[in-house]
Amino acid sequence: MADLGIRYATALFDISQENGLLSDYLEQAQLVRDNINSEDAQRILTHPRISSDEKFAFLEKAFGKNIHEDLLGFMRLVISKNREAYLLPALDKLIEMIKAYKHQTTARVVSAVPLSDAQAEKLTTTLAKKLGKQVDVTVLVDPSVIAGISIHVDGFFLDRTVKTMLKDMKETVKRGANNDSQT
């Protein structure tokens, strides 16, 4: 059952590729995923007392005119089979498959302050060159990191934040103190 989301995504990928609609499906899958990932939407989609027809009507009203009929049909199928839990994983996998096929990826960057346009552009260019892919950079601002940045991309994680450096330094000092007390 675990690969059911992958099977759904693969079928959608094949359909989008056959119809030459990879870019459209990518954009539309991201739109749906980003909107149904909210707590309110998930509450509606997973509520056992809301009928399949009501759930689909909710999705059709939200996306019916903005997405391809195959994506809408996919959502109808998932809901009719009471497999709403596979909706987000299948959309995530579809997005991942299309991006991989198109040599694209997304990097999540965490910074204490917003990056300037020049910094974001330089980071995007550097990552694209290193990865050999088109990179879309999403910057999240988190003042708790104090300074520096962390980057999550394609399963890799680089953390050069002051918060992490201070944490590592504290652990090193603790280990040193423990080693001194044992000798």
Side-chain angles (χ1 to χ4, degrees):
M1 215 49 160
D3 21 43
L4 191 55
I6 294 170
R7 289 193 346 222
Y8 283 139
T10 302
L12 285 169
F13 177 82
D14 291 344
I15 291 168
S16 68
Q17 191 177 26
E18 287 170 14
N19 295 328
L21 298 171
L22 284 169
S23 295
D24 291 345
Y25 273 50
L26 175 60
E27 183 180 310
Q28 293 168 15
Q30 288 171 324
L31 170 75
V32 173
R33 180 206 52 201
D34 293 347
N35 284 286
I36 67 168
N37 203 15
S38 73
E39 198 173 308
D40 291 337
Q42 284 301 301
R43 207 173 305 134
I44 291 168
L45 293 173
T46 59
H47 197 289
R49 291 196 178 149
I50 297 177
S51 72
S52 294
D53 289 338
E54 290 172 308
K55 290 175 184 181
F56 185 71
F58 165 73
L59 290 174
E60 191 170 38
K61 183 177 179 184
F63 306 110
K65 294 184 179 11
N66 299 320
I67 64 171
H68 195 274
E69 61 191 43
D70 292 331
L71 283 174
L72 206 54
F74 154 70
M75 291 190 294
R76 180 185 298 276
L77 174 68
V78 169
I79 290 169
S80 72
K81 302 269 186 192
N82 294 318
R83 295 179 177 158
E84 292 88 344
Y86 292 101
L87 193 54
L88 281 173
L91 290 170
D92 283 337
K93 187 64 179 173
L94 175 62
I95 291 164
E96 179 186 316
M97 291 170 75
I98 294 173
K99 283 186 169 189
Y101 182 82
K102 296 177 75 158
H103 302 289
Q104 298 175 351
T105 192
T106 301
R108 190 176 129 235
V109 176
V110 178
S111 173
V113 296
L115 298 181
S116 70
D117 290 342
Q119 289 170 320
E121 181 61 36
K122 184 174 182 181
L123 182 60
T124 301
T125 303
T126 302
L127 288 172
K129 186 177 178 183
K130 293 268 186 207
L131 297 170
K133 298 178 182 180
Q134 179 184 344
V135 179
D136 178 32
V137 173
T138 301
V139 179
L140 304 170
V141 176
D142 179 0
S144 75
V145 301
I146 305 170
I149 63 171
S150 67
I151 303 169
H152 302 260
V153 63
D154 285 354
F156 296 102
F157 179 62
L158 173 69
D159 190 337
R160 295 293 183 250
T161 61
V162 170
K163 179 180 179 178
T164 299
M165 289 180 206
L166 289 172
K167 180 180 159 204
D168 292 347
M169 192 181 317
K170 181 179 175 181
E171 289 173 10
T172 301
V173 170
K174 271 186 180 178
R175 278 193 304 263
N178 287 340
N179 287 341
D180 288 345
S181 66
Q182 293 175 0
T183 53

